[in-house]
Structure formats: C-alpha cells, structure tokens
Amino acid sequence: MKREDGAEALAVEFREATKRYPGADTDAVHALSLDVPAGDICVLVGPSGCGKTTAMRMVNRMVEITSGDIVVGERSVRERSASELRREIGYVIQETGLFPHRTIADNIATVPQLLGWDRERTHERVDELVELIGLDPTLAARFPAQLSGGQQQRVGVARALAANPGVMLMDEPFGAVDPINRERLQNEFLRLQAELRKTILFVTHDIDEALKMGDRIAVLQEGGHLAQYATPAELLMAPANDFVEDFVGADRALKRLALLRVGDIDLWEAPLAYVGQATAEVRAKLAGAEVPHALLVDSDRRPLGWLSESDLSLDTVPATPDSAPHPLLELDDVMRDALSDLLQAESQYAPVVDGAGKIGGVLSIEIVSEFLNSPGALTDEHAAAERPLT
Amino acid sequence: MSLATPALLPLADAFDSFSGAIEFIFTERETAGGVGGEPVGGLEQIGDLLWTHIEVSALAVALSLAIALPVGLYFGHRGTGELVAVAIGNAGRAIPELALIAFMAAFIGVGLLNVTIALAVLGIPPILTNTFVGVRQVDRGAVEAARGMGMSETEVMRKVELPLAAPTIMSGVRTGAINIVATATIAPLAGVLTLGDLILSRNVVGDDGVIAGAIVVALLALVVELGLSGIQRLVTPKGLKVQRASA
Amino acid sequence: MLAGLPALLPIAQNGDGFVRDPGESGTSCVAENDTVCVGWALDNIDRYVTPTLEHLELVVLSVGFGFVLAFAMALLSHRRRWLVPTFTGATGVIYTIPSVALFLLLLPITGRGTTTAVIALTLYTLQIIYRNIVTGLANVPEAAKDSGRGMGMTDRQLLWKVELPLAVPEIIAGLRIATVSTVAIATLAVFAGAGGLGAEIYNDIDFKTGIVVCGTIAIAMAIAFDALYVGAQRWISPWRKVRPV
C-alpha cells in the first residue's frame, strides 16, 4: 500500500501576533512570539479566557490577526486566501464536528475532495487512515452517530490527517471523552506522532495533559500573555513566575516523577546472596554495602526475597527467605507509580528487575529525593522526556 | 382550466373595484339582484354579519379549548399518547374545509350549534397538539422539584406545567382561532350568516359587496391574530422571556 | 336585512349549472339524496377524475412555486439576518388572511381562474416552508460548521455540502405540512374560479354522495402525500430517524 507520508512537517512561528476584538478593552492574545520547530508538539495551556484557543485559531485564520504575523513553513498565513490555507492545515476540535450526514469514510475524505484528488487516490488514503487510527474497517461505512465518543475522536484526527498537512491544530481534542478513554487516545496519538512527526499545536486546560503530550509547553496568562515557553521538565523545575507555579500545581515535584522512569536514575546495589552460599561471605559483603540488607537471588539473578538476621545466623543461606521481595519494580516503571507502590508496601527498599526479571538495582525513597535535588537532574529529565511514556 | 396567464387586468380597474368595495362597507346601496330587493351594504349590515362571524368563531374557539385543553394537559402531564397527539395535529391539517361545512349542512343540519361544532373540529387539533407538546417540553427538573416539594399532581399541573406551557399553548390557540375565523367565512353554506354571506351572494350584493366581504374578513383575521399574539406575550411568564433573551 | 332572507343557495360562481345525473344505477338513491349512494358513486367514479386532477394540479403547482420562492428567500436571508424578521412577518401576515378572502382580493388584479388560485395557495405555503428552511439551517450543529470552515470550505461550499443537507429533514417537514394544508385549502379554490374537488362539491352543495366522495378523495390525497414525504425523508437522510412533525 502506497503511503502518503510525503509532506514535510512545517515550522510555525508566531511573531508578535496580537488579536484584539473590536470594542474590547484588552487583547485576547497579546504580542505572542514563539517558535515551534517542525515535527514538535507545542502545547498551549492556561486557564479559561487566557487566549490559547484564540492563538491556535489565528494560525489557520479562523480568527484574523489584528497585528503581528504568523509564519507557517516560510509563508505568512496572510499570503493566501483563508480557505486555501486551511486545506493544508489539519484542524481537530473538541466536539469533533464530524458531519452527521456523511459516512465515516466520506468525512475523512472531505479535504482530499476539496483539493480535487481523484477517487482512487482518495479511497486508498481513507483506507490507510482507518487502519492508522485503529478503527475497524467495517465502521467506515457507518455514520458518526453510530460510533462511540472515543471512536469519533479518532475519526476527527484521521480527517485532519487526510490531506497530509504540514501542521495540525488540535483544540482540546480529547476533552469530551471519559478519563480512561482519554488516556488511551493520548497514548495512541503519541504513538502516531512518533511515526508521522507532524508539527502540532495542541490546546488544553489540563496541565497534566500538557506535560504528557508536549515537547514544549506555552503557558498563557489571562489577556493572552505568554508566561513561559519551555520543556515540561523546565516548567516543573523552574517556573518563570508565581502564576506558572500556581498553574503547574503545588505537587509539581510529584509531577516531575511522572516524567521519569525507574531506570533513568542511578540505583543502589544490594549485596546478593545465593542459596547454599556460606552466610559468612554474605555478612562480609553487607559490611560496606549501600543497602544494609541481603537479597536472595536464584542462579539467574532473579530476586527471591530479603534475608533477615535470623536467616543469616545459619551456616548457609536458606532456600526460603523470611520476607518476600515485595514490591517488585521494573526498570521501565514510571517513577511516580513505582514510588506509590513503595509507599504502599511500607517498605524502605524495593528490588528493581529488568525485562527478563533479573535484578538491576534497588530503589528507595532516599535515592529519589537525592536525585531530584541533584544538579544533574535537569539534563537527565530532559533526556527522559524525549521518550514517549506509553 | 389552463394556466395561460391572463394579462394583468388594468390596475385602474382593480383600483375601482377596491374603492367600490370600501364604499360598499360604509353606505347602503341598491341591491344588484334586481328591482324590489332589499338594499345592501352599509355599516349596519356589515356590523351584523361581522358580529355573527365573531360570535360563531368565539363559540367554536371556546368549545375547542374546552375539549382540547384538558385532554392535552392530562396526556401531556402523563407523558403518554405522543403519537396520537401528533397524529391528530397532522390529521387536523388535512381536513378539507369546504367538505366539512358541506357535510355538516347536508348530513347533520344547519344552524349555529352545528356550525360551531364543525368549526371546533378544525380548532381542536392544533390546540390539542400544542398543549400536549407544550406540557412535555416543560423542564422536567422543575416538575420533579415541584413534586418533591409536596405539590399534588393537580397542583403541579396548575402551578408549574400550565404556566410554563402557556406560550406554546397560546401558539396553538392562535392557529386554531385563525383556522376557525377563516372557515367561518363559508358558514353561510350551513345557515350561519357570517361575513361570508357577502362573498357568496354576488348576485345580490354585486362585485363590490364581494370584495367588501373579503376585505372585512381579512381585517378581522389580522385583528384576531394581533390580539392573540398580544395575549400570548402577556401569558408568557417573565422568567421564560428572560431565559429566552439570554439564551 | 340580508339576515332575514333564507341563506341564498349559492348559484355556482363560475356559471356552470349542475345536473345531478343519476346514471344507470341508483336512480332513486341519488334523487332522494337521503344517504351516501355508494353504488352510484362507484359506477360514476370517472366524473370525479377531472376534479381530482385539477386539485392535484393546484397542489403541486402551489407547493412547487412556494418551495422555490421560500428557498430563494431563505438563501437571501441566510447571510443577511436583518431580512429574517421582515420575511417572517410578511409571510405570517399573508397566512393570517383567510383563503377565501385572499382569493377574492386577488380577483380584481389577476382575474378568475387557476392562476389566481395558484398565486394565493403559493403565498400560503410560504410561511411554513420559509420558517422551516430557516429553522433547519439554524439547527445545524455549530461544531460541524466550525470544522467545515476550518478544513477550508468556502461559505458557499459550507452551505451546499454541510448546512443544507443537514437542514433537509426540517425542510421536508415544512413541505409536508404545507402540502397537506394546501390539499385542504384548495377545496376553497372554487371561489377563485378554479376547479378542483371543492368546485365539485360547491356545484351541488347538498348532494350528500358528492360531498362524501370529494371529501374522501381530498383526505386520501392528503394522507398519500404525507406518506410520500415521510418516505422521502427516510430515503434522503438515512442518518436520522423521522421526527414527529
């Protein structure tokens, strides 16, 4: 199947873009300047009325710019007629706006039809997209009202991708869906983006969604002022002002943990013990260890449990340890979830295994707080943020 | 009859007809029916016919209300019978007016009572349907709250549903009333001499009389419409007006 | 005054006399005019064909012209909202005027005959059809319009590809009401000098059989049109259940 991935993602540049509605006292968007590199997701986030949706809609001229400019690719958005411009920009809105009177396939085919693609090419493209968004092909002949909310949202995305735009605008696209489906949709979209690498302007009022989805985040204050434009890690570590700090939330330290995986930081080592080993050896290792407990592992270095004092009072290491190796964490676990497990188990240390189940290190709360406060943390978090968290 | 367009009659003739008709309304004149007939025209005759027209229309509207309003309220309140209510509304529109009056006259009899009943047949469907729909459309939350506060079913109907449904009901009353006033024009065919008598007796009252009848009937209908619109506005609870304005 | 005289049995306005032709069967039934002569009616059913066709012609022409006119008005007022109250008011006033009166008021201007009847009947359909087209367009979901524009549709493309198709159910509902009403009102077209089922009744106003036959045909015609519209709506917009009118 021929893939229509040809079109390159375009960069979007706001140059002092301003919008003031006639008769209004203040700007809806005030001299917004920011660069969105091609292939990046830029999330516009802020409270209601901050102008984030207005700013996004200025890119495809659903809202006309009062002063300043917006440049997409190398061209100002004002160069062409609005209709022409919009056919090359994907547009996804919260209510989806699917045409109730057209089938799913026809809905997706809208922009290709407007652009005059021939029927065969359109057909192929529609099939391609239905598969891409993970929709059952038999649904393509149905009408929007017959699909669930989550399915409708996916169709909305497919419809926006149909003509292979260089830029996509998304206004709270997952907002109207329940939290479980929203997470699923977010993850699917991130996977899609990893493949397609479009330039995306994404509007949301939910800071958690912004942190999850954005490569860069623009926090807007009321009156359309840009408060901060930074990566998620920077935003959490160094909020530019009180407003951003409040908006990000009092739990921003914990939010940082959502951006990390257990394997991203340096873990401690626990002395390992094998069944039948002389306990004297084990006790010797314990002497200067980072973790003052011995971990019983099998011949493949898989954790079997923690050895207690009474265990070590024997001559040789017993086969059954006193305490189980719980909670058992994985290198791939999201740090926040891992810490949550640790706290719940009322354990101070948790063994961390790799994909094969072999011991990789030991996690404790101390390690995490040490890491968060270390100067090298920011770089590591940047690196961590590059990887999709699905 | 073909649709070959007749040349538009000279406007001067049209103007003559209308001015003649206006004259007819105000002054008596010789009958066109031949020597020895009673004079026709003039305010008194017009007034009599007008009064009869209003009388039979008003009676018919009252009868329609008496039947349609309670039924509509009851079933609207209960929430059952939507299909029937809507079907009656549709059916009402399909009743051929001339056949109705002729039927009444030929099969049942002439006279005020019979005509009133016939006219009521035209007035009931829109009032019934609109009452039903109006009550159904009342905010369910308000009704629930009213019940929850301890209002009896009758009180709920009277104090909550009726006032809130009033604008829609009035709209139905308007439609019904206009249908009735319009059809009362041919009531003379069944023995009730309304303004239609002028229209139907060209040989007696002449072309001027016929047009005069048409003019007065049209004016009557407009006045009734305006009047009922005004009542509709009065009857709309202020809260609803505010709600609509801010919607 | 006139009230003292017995109600003048109307002599047919168009000057046709009417002879109650008993035909071969049911001679006494028709002559006595006591009841509905079903036998006679069935034997002589052809006499009702022409009036029925005339009636049909009146309805089809009026609703047809009415639709074209109302549609044009709706398109005009779609982007010029200030026209809406004007059009709504004008069509409303016309609708308020009783049909018989309107027929007669037009007579001095357009003369007797089918033309006058069609003009008046057309004017009557305007209020409901216009209102329904406007409401239908107004009920188009805002999100569909926003996304349509956002995808690059021009105003005209939006109107024809999104707004009008979505307004179709409402428009058909309006046509349905207009047609059924017109079938009923057209019985009065006799007063404009046109033919139709009304004329057939009026020409022999106490012929019981005639009244019943003509009335039945008129009602049947209305029901047939109604069913046609319901079917049409289901066929044109399968994405939507037929709503009660």
Side-chain angles (χ1 to χ4, degrees):
Chain A
M1 193 172 24
K2 178 166 74 85
R3 274 292 203 98
E4 290 260 9
D5 285 338
E8 294 234 333
L10 301 168
V12 176
E13 228 184 283
F14 283 77
R15 294 181 186 162
E16 307 260 320
T18 305
K19 175 65 185 175
R20 178 183 286 235
Y21 287 101
D25 300 323
T26 49
D27 292 338
V29 173
H30 180 76
L32 185 63
S33 293
L34 54 86
D35 283 349
V36 185
D40 263 21
I41 300 183
C42 166
V43 178
L44 297 164
V45 71
S48 314
C50 70
K52 55 191 189 290
T53 301
T54 310
M56 186 196 86
R57 282 157 66 95
M58 282 160 77
V59 176
N60 68 353
R61 288 175 60 189
M62 292 294 280
V63 169
E64 289 291 356
I65 308 172
T66 314
S67 71
D69 202 5
I70 298 180
V71 174
V72 172
E74 303 293 306
R75 302 162 72 175
S76 157
V77 296
R78 291 203 256 225
E79 253 175 55
R80 290 176 286 175
S81 79
S83 311
E84 260 184 69
L85 173 72
R86 291 169 192 161
R87 290 173 203 175
E88 308 196 353
I89 297 182
Y91 186 57
V92 183
I93 58 178
Q94 185 174 24
E95 312 88 344
T96 69
L98 294 182
F99 302 136
H101 61 299
R102 290 188 174 179
T103 60
I104 299 300
D106 284 336
N107 260 282
I108 297 179
T110 306
V111 183
Q113 280 169 357
L114 287 177
L115 289 173
W117 289 19
D118 65 71
R119 200 174 289 180
E120 198 187 311
R121 187 181 170 202
T122 309
H123 220 68
E124 269 181 38
R125 182 63 175 157
V126 170
D127 288 340
E128 210 182 293
L129 285 164
V130 168
E131 193 187 316
L132 198 66
I133 59 171
L135 198 71
D136 179 1
T138 59
L139 291 178
R142 301 259 180 93
F143 293 100
Q146 296 169 288
L147 266 56
S148 71
Q151 289 168 327
Q152 288 179 14
Q153 286 294 346
R154 282 196 231 134
V155 174
V157 173
R159 189 171 67 163
L161 286 170
N164 233 315
V167 177
M168 293 255 292
L169 303 179
M170 304 177 78
D171 185 3
E172 313 237 29
F174 311 133
V177 176
D178 63 86
I180 296 178
N181 272 308
R182 189 181 313 150
E183 199 181 321
R184 201 183 297 166
L185 286 170
Q186 287 168 342
N187 294 340
E188 278 177 27
F189 186 76
L190 287 172
R191 250 178 258 137
L192 213 66
Q193 171 67 352
E195 238 185 275
L196 300 174
R197 294 262 75 164
K198 299 265 180 217
T199 309
I200 301 183
L201 262 93
F202 190 110
V203 168
T204 179
H205 64 278
D206 179 350
I207 188 65
D208 288 318
E209 187 171 46
L211 292 168
K212 177 171 178 175
M213 307 289 290
D215 292 318
R216 311 197 107 222
I217 302 177
V219 182
L220 292 173
Q221 263 174 285
E222 204 175 299
H225 297 263
L226 182 64
Q228 187 171 7
Y229 183 47
T231 63
E234 276 167 14
L235 207 64
L236 291 172
M237 291 264 295
N241 58 22
D242 284 341
F243 171 79
V244 178
E245 196 175 331
D246 279 338
F247 190 77
V248 168
D251 61 341
R252 59 188 174 93
L254 291 179
K255 286 199 167 87
R256 285 168 67 193
L257 296 175
L259 300 175
L260 276 179
R261 290 189 198 276
V262 175
D264 288 335
I265 68 177
D266 293 327
L267 299 169
W268 281 347
E269 301 240 346
L272 301 176
Y274 296 89
V275 180
Q277 194 180 12
T279 51
E281 277 180 45
V282 180
R283 269 181 265 129
K285 275 203 247 176
L286 269 175
E290 284 176 314
V291 179
H293 297 280
L295 185 67
L296 179 67
V297 295
D298 65 12
S299 49
D300 280 325
R301 289 165 60 92
R302 293 207 190 92
L304 297 170
W306 295 105
L307 294 172
S308 65
E309 277 297 316
S310 60
D311 287 332
L312 292 174
S313 62
L314 303 169
D315 283 335
T316 55
V317 177
T320 44
D322 260 350
S323 36
H326 287 165
L328 197 63
L329 304 173
E330 297 183 25
L331 287 171
D332 260 353
D333 283 345
V334 175
M335 185 61 86
R336 183 163 61 180
D337 300 335
L339 221 56
S340 172
D341 290 340
L342 195 58
L343 289 167
Q344 258 190 310
E346 291 176 23
S347 200
Q348 203 183 357
Y349 301 104
V352 183
V353 297
D354 64 11
K358 304 189 188 189
I359 187 75
V362 169
L363 185 73
S364 76
I365 298 176
E366 244 183 278
I367 301 177
V368 180
S369 72
E370 250 184 50
F371 170 80
L372 287 178
N373 292 321
S374 75
L378 193 54
T379 339
D380 290 345
E381 284 178 58
H382 270 293
E386 290 296 293
R387 266 173 284 128
L389 271 168
T390 50
Chain B
M1 282 182 211
S2 76
L3 202 50
T5 317
L8 229 52
L9 301 178
L11 244 51
D13 283 349
F15 186 68
D16 272 343
S17 306
F18 285 119
S19 55
I22 305 283
E23 213 199 300
F24 183 99
I25 296 177
F26 291 102
T27 47
E28 274 189 24
R29 59 167 68 180
E30 280 293 312
T31 176
V35 177
E38 304 248 350
V40 295
L43 278 176
E44 207 183 319
Q45 180 183 38
I46 301 280
D48 275 350
L49 296 172
L50 181 61
W51 169 246
T52 312
H53 201 120
I54 295 177
E55 187 185 26
V56 71
S57 302
L59 285 173
V61 171
L63 182 58
S64 305
L65 275 171
I67 297 178
L69 205 57
V71 173
L73 278 174
Y74 178 72
F75 283 103
H77 177 75
R78 289 276 300 269
T80 54
E82 175 167 357
L83 281 174
V84 173
V86 170
I88 292 182
N90 285 349
R93 264 181 239 119
I95 301 175
E97 287 87 347
L98 184 57
L100 178 69
I101 299 291
F103 183 89
M104 184 52 97
F107 283 79
I108 302 184
V110 299
L112 189 61
L113 180 62
N114 294 317
V115 171
T116 305
I117 294 176
L119 292 177
V121 171
L122 287 174
I124 289 176
I127 299 180
L128 179 65
T129 307
N130 272 44
T131 306
F132 181 91
V133 169
V135 172
R136 289 312 302 150
Q137 284 177 350
V138 168
D139 177 15
R140 289 288 110 202
V143 173
E144 280 300 303
R147 269 198 204 108
M149 286 192 283
M151 286 195 199
S152 71
E153 289 306 298
T154 339
E155 282 178 321
V156 170
M157 269 166 63
R158 212 164 33 90
K159 295 186 187 176
V160 178
E161 288 181 325
L162 190 52
L164 287 176
T168 312
I169 297 178
M170 270 312 297
S171 172
V173 172
R174 270 166 70 189
T175 309
I178 292 300
N179 284 355
I180 287 174
V181 168
T183 310
T185 312
I186 55 174
L189 294 175
V192 175
L193 298 179
T194 62
L195 290 164
D197 200 28
L198 294 170
I199 295 175
L200 297 173
S201 330
R202 179 155 64 90
N203 296 335
V204 176
V205 303
D207 283 330
D208 286 347
V210 168
I211 307 249
I215 293 178
V216 180
V217 165
L219 287 175
L220 173 63
L222 285 169
V223 167
V224 168
E225 166 72 16
L226 280 172
L228 290 177
S229 290
I231 297 184
Q232 182 173 346
R233 226 170 293 138
L234 279 176
V235 142
T236 306
K238 233 178 254 165
L240 274 186
K241 287 186 198 160
V242 170
Q243 192 182 59
R244 280 184 200 156
S246 63
Chain C
M1 295 302 232
L2 249 153
L5 294 165
L8 286 171
L9 271 185
I11 299 165
Q13 297 274 18
N14 55 10
D16 288 352
F18 179 72
V19 175
R20 220 177 279 166
D21 178 0
E24 289 188 0
S25 61
T27 325
S28 60
C29 172
V30 160
E32 282 168 28
N33 195 27
D34 218 16
T35 175
V36 179
C37 309
V38 180
W40 177 92
L42 290 173
D43 284 341
N44 288 274
I45 202 72
D46 348 314
R47 74 182 311 133
Y48 294 107
V49 169
T50 312
T52 305
L53 290 176
E54 284 172 352
H55 203 99
L56 207 61
E57 185 189 2
L58 286 172
V59 172
V60 170
L61 284 175
S62 308
V63 175
F65 288 142
F67 176 65
V68 170
L69 222 73
F71 193 77
M73 284 163 63
L75 284 183
L76 265 175
S77 63
H78 188 54
R79 301 273 172 232
R80 303 171 189 81
R81 303 309 295 180
W82 54 271
L83 278 175
V84 173
T86 312
F87 283 157
T88 309
T91 57
V93 167
I94 295 172
Y95 187 77
T96 306
I97 300 177
S99 50
V100 178
L102 188 57
F103 286 140
L104 291 167
L105 290 171
L106 282 175
L107 278 184
I109 308 175
T110 55
R112 304 185 60 80
T114 313
T115 315
T116 307
V118 169
I119 292 177
L121 291 172
T122 303
L123 289 173
Y124 277 128
T125 63
L126 289 180
Q127 188 206 38
I128 184 68
I129 301 180
Y130 176 73
R131 178 170 62 196
N132 270 44
I133 300 180
V134 169
T135 308
L137 287 172
N139 284 350
V140 170
E142 200 55 51
K145 288 193 277 195
D146 191 62
S147 69
R149 263 185 229 114
M151 287 191 288
M153 287 187 181
T154 59
D155 278 347
R156 174 181 291 181
Q157 286 170 324
L158 194 72
L159 179 67
W160 289 94
K161 286 175 190 257
V162 179
E163 296 180 280
L164 281 173
L166 286 173
V168 159
E170 198 79 37
I171 296 178
I172 294 191
L175 282 172
R176 184 178 164 197
I177 297 176
T179 307
V180 168
S181 306
T182 305
V183 169
I185 300 179
T187 53
L188 298 166
V190 58
F191 295 107
L197 293 163
E200 186 64 25
I201 295 179
Y202 192 62
N203 289 343
D204 191 358
I205 196 77
D206 14 69
F207 181 31
K208 289 184 176 159
T209 310
I211 296 174
V212 171
V213 172
C214 290
T216 308
I217 297 179
I219 294 179
M221 195 187 288
I223 294 179
F225 271 119
D226 200 63
L228 216 81
Y229 279 112
V230 170
Q233 188 180 330
R234 283 221 187 96
W235 180 68
I236 291 182
S237 42
W239 44 277
R240 196 166 177 161
K241 279 199 313 201
V242 175
R243 297 172 307 150
V245 170

